[in-house]
Amino acid sequence: MDGIHYEELRRPGHGETLALADGVTWLRMPLPFSLDHINLYLLRDTGGWVIVDTGLDTNTTRGVWRRVFAEGMNNDPATHVVVTHLHPDHAGCANFLVAEFDADLWMTRQEYFLCRVLIADTGTDAPREGERFYRAAGFTDEQIELYKENFGMFGKFVKGMPQSLSLIHI
């Protein structure tokens, strides 16, 4: 046989978990976009679970997490919430999960503070400086209008961030 061949990988359904190894669980979290899911992970820790990435902060995501708490985590607590980067599908539900479990948040300082700035921009108009920058970069009028329409949307899916964090140094 020529080429690389992969064994068939069983995938969890949307909102379901799959144990990959002892203490490693895959959660396939649904998204309301053309990219219809994100892969999240639960890692067994002494006394509970480490949650790696969080999904968007939506009613659907919170519902999935509540089911996962009971079924996938056997009602054991989360000890840490790790956010790998600031995209809303990775950071969105961090505030909810940290509060739900009184867990600590692990994230890089830069990503954490940028999340907080983007949340603060929610619902505000796009700055003229941003419009000038994108015009100078060659954006069309249509692209500028799209930028202006979508500016400040971050907080729609990331409604808050915990007030403190444990730093990941990279």
Side-chain angles (χ1 to χ4, degrees):
M1 268 185 175
D2 292 7
I4 298 174
H5 299 279
Y6 297 95
E7 299 224 6
E8 181 62 30
L9 177 64
R10 192 172 137 240
R11 294 178 182 96
H14 284 59
E16 296 177 358
T17 60
L18 176 67
L20 297 175
D22 187 32
V24 179
T25 300
W26 174 10
L27 168 58
R28 197 166 184 195
M29 185 65 76
L31 295 174
F33 311 118
S34 57
L35 173 63
D36 66 356
H37 73 279
I38 179 177
N39 297 310
L40 311 178
Y41 297 91
L42 305 168
L43 308 175
R44 192 52 137 145
D45 190 21
T46 53
W49 294 91
V50 176
I51 294 172
V52 180
D53 290 327
T54 70
L56 301 171
D57 192 351
T58 65
N59 289 334
T60 298
T61 302
R62 287 180 181 220
V64 169
W65 274 119
R66 286 187 178 99
R67 192 173 66 254
V68 169
F69 300 158
E71 297 169 12
M73 296 167 57
N74 300 318
N75 287 312
D76 290 337
T79 54
H80 312 285
V81 175
V82 176
V83 173
T84 60
H85 62 285
L86 67 80
H87 289 163
D89 53 338
H90 293 263
C93 231
N95 201 42
F96 166 73
L97 293 168
V98 165
E100 190 75 18
F101 290 106
D102 194 27
D104 54 0
L105 172 67
W106 285 79
M107 192 172 181
T108 67
R109 178 189 318 262
Q110 296 87 342
E111 300 268 325
Y112 173 78
F113 284 116
L114 186 50
C115 275
R116 295 193 60 149
V117 167
L118 291 171
I119 291 166
D121 282 344
T122 299
T124 63
D125 292 333
R128 283 181 280 155
E129 298 87 353
E131 185 178 339
R132 278 196 305 268
F133 171 83
Y134 289 116
R135 280 195 192 285
F139 274 38
T140 65
D141 287 342
E142 183 180 325
Q143 291 170 317
I144 293 293
E145 286 309 308
L146 187 60
Y147 160 71
K148 289 164 64 174
E149 287 171 23
N150 288 307
F151 186 84
M153 293 288 287
F154 189 85
K156 180 177 179 182
F157 299 111
V158 184
K159 295 183 179 73
M161 288 301 286
Q163 293 298 307
S164 65
L165 77 153
S166 297
L167 292 179
I168 296 175
H169 299 280
I170 55 171

